[in-house]
Amino acid sequence: MVAIEHGFETIVRFCILLIELAGIAVIVISMVKGFIGYIHKQEQTRIQLAQGIMLGLEFKIGSEVLRSVIISGWTELGTLAAIILLRSLLTLLLHWEIDVEEKRQRENAEYLASRDAAEAKE
């Protein structure tokens, strides 16, 4: 029975590592794309960067949930809960920032379109 538990724990730790690596890769790739978009002054850079960070955080949250399967004490559970809570709050803040940025971009596009239409009439 101990061998089965040890094998299960090893498999779970390996899966956690893979998910963590996926989250890190998503964040790093998003940062590189965001930097390139910033250099080229692309309008959607902030939104794409926030979405990439948010996706990476969701991978990290998934790994923490999986980690909850193998924890052994209440102290570890409290720490894990705090980590999940903080990452979830970061994800919610990123959702909010994306919504605000999309609204700002829509309003800017509408303003430019109405200004161009007014100039065309003159």
Side-chain angles (χ1 to χ4, degrees):
M1 189 67 167
V2 174
I4 293 172
E5 287 178 12
H6 181 68
F8 177 73
E9 186 173 330
T10 302
I11 291 169
V12 170
R13 287 189 188 278
F14 181 72
C15 291
I16 290 169
L17 179 64
L18 289 177
I19 295 169
E20 290 271 339
L21 287 173
I24 291 168
V26 167
I27 291 172
V28 169
I29 291 168
S30 296
M31 291 293 179
V32 170
K33 286 181 174 180
F35 183 71
I36 292 169
Y38 173 75
I39 290 172
H40 294 298
K41 297 182 181 357
Q42 296 173 346
E43 185 71 23
Q44 294 291 319
T45 299
R46 286 180 55 123
I47 293 173
Q48 292 170 350
L49 181 59
Q51 288 173 337
I53 293 171
M54 193 171 51
L55 180 61
L57 281 172
E58 288 172 2
F59 273 104
K60 303 287 276 173
I61 290 170
S63 72
E64 297 300 334
V65 169
L66 190 57
R67 191 180 316 270
S68 70
V69 172
I70 58 172
I71 61 169
S72 59
W74 287 103
T75 305
E76 292 176 18
L77 183 63
T79 303
L80 185 65
I83 290 169
I84 290 172
L85 178 65
L86 287 172
R87 289 183 178 168
S88 297
L89 287 174
L90 282 171
T91 302
L92 287 173
L93 285 172
L94 286 168
H95 271 294
W96 175 77
E97 185 174 336
I98 288 170
D99 289 342
V100 168
E101 183 65 20
E102 286 176 340
K103 181 180 177 187
R104 185 192 68 79
Q105 287 180 6
R106 265 194 317 273
E107 289 173 352
N108 190 28
E110 289 170 0
Y111 169 75
L112 291 174
S114 65
R115 187 185 72 186
D116 291 343
E119 288 177 358
K121 286 182 180 180
E122 292 176 4

